[in-house]
């Protein structure tokens, strides 16, 4: 027989209050350890018994017993992919909604806490309440409450254990935005719904409570971080909305703080909001941002986040690139590159910044004067580095090797860059081979004396593999290399003669999808057989 449905108003909170909310870091750690141990034990048991029987769902358990599953225990079938702990049903979410709208201040706080906890892996019922119900509107009302007891005390510090409605709500919004990318259908609607909180969050940036300012900046940064691709410009509109509501100026002011966490959160928001056209970023260039970034660039705890801001701005603004180079950013940037080069992905924003800067011949020469710049870049492409770092370093190096300055190319050759690049072209992953091939072609195009330094017997088979690929850029690189051998190297034809499938590779280039590549390949066949005056005698 099924269980009776619970209707008591005083009992509805027991539907979702499964555990108490921990209020100290130690309690949170202990709780997480306990949950993980329980899950590990369950997974081990399931692994052992999997060969004998399949675990039944709760619906199947009731069905096999000839009973109907109680209404207040039914779960949405779309919640099967989330942890059982977070599978709130409609009745449980209704209980939270009632408490969030309660006249009792303590109940509102507890309900907000529970939403922030369960939104880590939101059930369909909770997503529906947030996106279609009055959840966000209720939170906005709490943020602007006129009740003195619900306002932040001016003297409240980061270490304070007392909680206020504003703290809880902003924490909740931060959780919502932070976990958007992990939700399937709900994230876009939830993210779009949360845009209505932007003015309230911006007001909190000037709060006297540093903890609240940090959380508000983080929430705005998460809102601005959404990337919907080229098919939808809603993310660009949201970033513009945040900028137009005046977020940039108070975020820049936060960089004057001595609190590293506050600076990190401000930089996180500023970096994501910097994704736009230069004309949309006027507030970045009129509020003393450059000097504040330079000051914090030399601080270990804030350097990485500062570099993210610089990387986005150098990508869109020549004015900003000129400003930071005039103010002496070259030395601290190379210092951070050297310091972070062995610490994993934290070096990425520095690499992107430098890659944007070396696109200019003048800026490249300034950076190349720094003793550790070129050696560190070359070291990052070696095989003991992670793929993502090598790919980024190869992009920087491709910009460096496209320089017209022969001295820079010779300096790279002195660092055995050709050897390292050749190994990557021969044995690297697809995108790594492509990046390394660009660098080698740039070096070879500086003249026959540089082309002849390449190990052609090793490289030609690798470039022929590029010709046989289905990627137009890769095919073009491979054909370009063969052309250099035929037209610029005295022993180029001899190298080709010793690789029997070279003509077969050229013949594999089809008219589709690029007729120009097909014509290019045929031209090279003619050159090989001596039907072109461009070929070396």
């Amino acid at each position: 027989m099924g269980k009776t449905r619970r209707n008591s108003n005083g009992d509805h909170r027991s539907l979702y209050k499964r555990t108490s909310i921990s209020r100290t870091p130690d309690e949170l750690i202990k709780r997480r350890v306990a949950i993980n141990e329980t899950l590990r034990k369950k997974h081990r048991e399931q692994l052992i018994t999997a060969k004998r029987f399949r675990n039944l769902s709760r619906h199947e358990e009731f069905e096999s017993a000839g009973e109907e599953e109680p209404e207040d225990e039914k779960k949405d079938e779309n919640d099967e992919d989330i942890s059982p702990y977070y599978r709130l049903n409609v009745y449980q979410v209704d209980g939270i909604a009632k408490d969030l709208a309660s006249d009792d201040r303590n109940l509102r706080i507890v309900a907000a806490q529970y939403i922030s906890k369960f939104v880590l892996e939101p059930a369909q019922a909770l997503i529906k309440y947030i996106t279609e119900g009055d959840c966000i509107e209720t939170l906005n009302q709490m943020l602007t409450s006129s009740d003195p007891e619900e306002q932040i005390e001016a003297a409240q510090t980061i270490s304070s254990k007392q909680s206020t409605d504003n703290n809880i709500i902003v924490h909740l919004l931060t959780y919502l935005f932070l976990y958007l990318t992990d939700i399937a259908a709900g994230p876009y609607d939830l993210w779009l719904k949360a845009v209505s909180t932007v003015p309230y969050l911006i007001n909190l940036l000037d709060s006297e409570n540093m903890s609240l300012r940090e959380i508000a900046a983080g929430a705005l940064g998460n809102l601005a971080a959404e990337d919907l691709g080229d098919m939808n410009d809603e993310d660009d509109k949201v970033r513009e909305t945040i900028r137009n509501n005046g977020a940039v100026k108070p975020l820049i002011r936060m960089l004057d703080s001595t609190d590293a966490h506050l600076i990190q959160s401000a930089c996180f928001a500023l970096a994501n909001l910097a994704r736009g056209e230069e004309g949309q970023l006027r507030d970045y260039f009129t509020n003393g941002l450059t000097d504040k970034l330079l000051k914090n660039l030399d601080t270990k705890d804030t350097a990485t986040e500062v570099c993210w801001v610089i990387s986005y701005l150098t990508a869109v603004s020549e004015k900003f690139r000129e400003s930071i180079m005039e103010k002496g950013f070259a030395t601290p940037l190379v210092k951070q590159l050297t310091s972070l080069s062995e610490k994993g992905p934290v070096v990425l924003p520095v690499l992107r910044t430098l890659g944007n800067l070396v696109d200019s011949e003048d800026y490249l020469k300034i950076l190349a004067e720094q003793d550790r710049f070129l050696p560190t870049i070359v070291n990052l492409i070696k095989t003991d580095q992670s793929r993502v770092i090598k790919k980024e370093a190869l992009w920087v190096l491709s910009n460096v090797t496209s320089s017209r300055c022969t001295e820079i190319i010779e300096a790279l050759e002195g660092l055995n860059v050709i050897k390292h690049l050749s190994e990557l072209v021969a044995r690297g992953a697809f995108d790594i081979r492509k990046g390394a091939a660009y660098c080698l072609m740039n070096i070879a195009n500086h003249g026959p004396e540089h082309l002849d330094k390449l190990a052609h017997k090793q490289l030609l088979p690798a470039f022929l593999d590029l010709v046989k690929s289905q990627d137009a850029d890769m095919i073009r690189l491979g054909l370009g290399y063969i052309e250099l051998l035929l037209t610029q190297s005295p022993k180029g034809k001899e190298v080709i003669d010793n690789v029997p499938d070279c003509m077969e590779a050229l013949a594999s280039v089809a008219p589709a999808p690029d007729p120009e590549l097909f014509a290019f390949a045929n031209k090279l066949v003619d050159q090989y057989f001596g039907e072109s005056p461009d070929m070396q005698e």
Side-chain angles (χ1 to χ4, degrees):
M1 182 178 293
K3 298 178 182 178
T4 58
R5 178 177 170 183
R6 290 170 285 197
N7 293 313
S8 168
N9 289 333
D11 196 33
H12 73 263
R13 280 182 292 282
S14 63
L15 289 170
Y16 66 85
K17 290 188 178 182
R18 297 171 181 167
T19 60
S20 61
I21 297 177
S22 302
R23 296 187 179 272
T24 68
D26 288 342
E27 289 176 359
L28 285 171
I29 292 171
K30 290 178 181 177
R31 176 175 172 269
R32 174 53 55 194
V33 168
I35 291 174
N36 287 342
E37 178 58 32
T38 301
L39 289 174
R40 283 195 297 271
K41 182 179 178 181
K42 176 183 176 183
H43 292 161
R44 284 195 299 269
E45 290 174 350
Q46 288 182 344
L47 183 63
I48 293 171
T49 60
K51 295 180 180 179
R52 303 190 186 101
F53 58 88
R54 179 176 66 86
N55 292 306
L56 298 178
S57 67
R58 286 187 58 79
H59 175 72
E60 290 170 327
E61 288 175 357
F62 279 100
E63 191 177 60
S64 64
E67 300 176 359
E68 184 176 348
E69 186 175 4
E71 286 293 325
D72 61 354
E73 293 187 16
K74 284 186 177 180
K75 311 294 181 184
D76 193 295
E77 61 181 11
N78 294 318
D79 292 340
E80 292 297 324
D81 292 334
I82 67 175
S83 300
Y85 179 83
Y86 295 98
R87 295 175 190 171
L88 295 178
N89 60 31
V90 174
Y91 291 96
Q92 291 167 320
V93 173
D94 284 346
I96 295 176
K98 285 181 181 179
D99 284 354
L100 193 64
S102 171
D103 292 333
D104 187 321
R105 176 178 177 275
N106 292 328
L107 288 183
R108 292 199 300 272
I109 293 174
V110 171
Q113 287 176 317
Y114 272 94
I115 295 177
S116 70
K117 179 173 69 171
F118 287 111
V119 82
L120 297 178
E121 288 189 62
Q124 289 298 312
L126 184 58
I127 291 174
K128 186 173 182 179
Y129 169 52
I130 294 170
T131 57
E132 299 178 16
D134 61 355
C135 177
I136 299 297
E137 288 77 6
T138 303
L139 294 176
N140 282 341
Q141 291 173 9
M142 293 168 71
L143 278 170
T144 57
S145 171
S146 59
D147 184 348
E149 293 183 6
E150 294 189 348
Q151 300 305 308
I152 301 174
E153 295 179 15
Q156 188 177 18
T157 62
I158 296 175
S159 60
S160 173
K161 295 183 179 179
Q162 181 178 357
S163 216
T164 67
D165 273 8
N166 280 28
N167 273 326
I168 293 297
I169 296 160
V170 179
H171 270 297
L172 165 62
L173 294 173
T174 302
Y175 276 124
L176 292 175
F177 307 146
L178 185 60
Y179 290 93
L180 281 177
T181 55
D182 294 331
I183 310 170
Y188 173 77
D189 294 336
L190 189 151
W191 166 76
L192 203 58
K193 183 81 173 181
V195 174
S196 64
T197 66
V198 165
Y200 308 109
L201 292 171
I202 292 175
N203 285 337
L204 295 175
L205 295 177
D206 287 320
S207 169
E208 294 183 13
N209 182 292
M210 283 205 302
S211 180
L212 193 55
R213 291 165 69 193
E214 177 188 339
I215 297 168
L220 289 169
N222 278 315
L223 264 177
E226 187 72 13
D227 187 356
L228 300 176
D230 296 334
M231 303 301 292
N232 192 326
D233 64 350
E234 201 67 49
D235 51 345
D236 293 324
K237 291 178 180 177
V238 167
R239 282 187 280 272
E240 188 173 7
T241 296
I242 297 173
R243 291 192 297 262
N244 290 345
N245 272 271
V248 174
K249 290 181 180 179
L251 287 170
I252 292 176
R253 288 196 296 270
M254 288 168 67
L255 300 184
D256 291 324
S257 172
T258 57
D259 183 88
H261 295 296
L262 192 63
I263 294 171
Q264 289 168 355
S265 293
C267 285
F268 172 66
L270 286 168
N272 287 326
L273 289 170
R275 291 151 66 177
E277 300 298 326
E278 184 171 7
Q280 300 173 316
L281 307 177
R282 288 182 294 273
D283 285 344
Y284 280 84
F285 310 125
T286 58
N287 291 281
L289 174 63
T290 306
D291 292 332
K292 299 177 194 293
L293 291 174
L294 181 58
K295 180 191 72 172
N296 290 296
L297 181 58
D298 241 350
T299 304
K300 181 181 67 173
D301 293 334
T302 58
T304 299
E305 293 297 340
V306 167
C307 284
W308 277 119
V309 179
I310 300 173
S311 70
Y312 279 108
L313 291 175
T314 51
V316 299
S317 173
E318 171 57 33
K319 177 182 177 182
F320 183 77
R321 292 193 290 270
E322 180 180 349
S323 174
I324 66 172
M325 292 305 288
E326 287 179 350
K327 295 196 174 187
F329 273 63
T331 299
L333 282 172
V334 174
K335 177 183 176 183
Q336 290 301 328
L337 172 70
T338 306
S339 172
L340 300 173
S341 62
E342 297 181 357
K343 297 182 180 179
V346 292
V347 75
L348 291 175
V350 192
L351 280 172
R352 292 190 183 181
T353 297
L354 293 169
N356 291 333
L357 292 172
V358 298
D359 192 48
S360 161
E361 196 78 20
D362 293 336
Y363 303 156
L364 171 57
K365 289 179 181 178
I366 294 172
L367 288 164
E369 291 173 357
Q370 303 287 319
D371 291 340
R372 295 303 306 161
F373 175 59
L374 293 179
T376 305
I377 296 295
V378 173
N379 187 60
L380 286 170
I381 70 168
K382 293 181 180 179
T383 53
D384 57 349
Q385 296 292 339
S386 71
R387 178 173 173 176
V388 65
I389 294 174
K390 280 192 289 188
K391 183 177 179 180
E392 206 75 27
L394 286 167
W395 169 68
V396 177
L397 194 57
S398 69
N399 283 345
V400 173
T401 53
S402 64
S403 166
R404 298 186 299 273
C405 180
T406 304
E407 290 79 8
I408 290 177
I409 302 302
E410 291 173 347
L412 288 171
E413 290 171 345
L415 295 167
N416 289 325
V417 72
I418 291 177
K419 174 188 174 184
H420 300 311
L421 291 171
S422 299
E423 291 173 351
L424 292 176
V425 170
R427 292 185 288 274
F430 181 85
D431 51 349
I432 300 300
R433 295 173 68 188
K434 187 174 182 178
Y438 271 117
C439 295
L440 285 173
M441 288 297 293
N442 286 342
I443 293 173
N445 276 304
H446 276 81
E449 66 274 22
H450 299 284
L451 175 63
D452 289 342
K453 293 179 181 179
L454 272 58
H456 297 302
K457 292 182 180 180
Q458 173 190 358
L459 285 175
L460 181 55
F463 273 94
L464 290 178
D465 286 341
L466 304 187
V467 173
K468 297 174 186 176
S469 74
Q470 301 299 313
D471 182 89
D473 289 336
M474 299 280 266
I475 296 172
R476 189 173 290 105
L477 280 169
L479 296 178
Y481 176 73
I482 296 172
E483 182 182 41
L484 284 176
L485 285 178
L486 288 172
T487 62
Q488 301 297 322
S489 175
K491 297 183 179 180
K493 188 173 186 302
E494 180 183 336
V495 173
I496 293 174
D497 287 338
N498 291 325
V499 181
D501 62 344
C502 184
M503 292 301 106
E504 180 183 338
L506 291 176
S508 70
V509 180
D514 192 335
E516 291 186 4
L517 292 177
F518 177 68
F520 190 5
N522 286 333
K523 174 188 172 185
L524 294 178
V525 173
D526 292 341
Q527 286 177 318
Y528 175 77
F529 288 108
E531 299 178 11
S532 170
D534 294 333
M535 193 182 74
Q536 289 279 344
E537 293 294 336

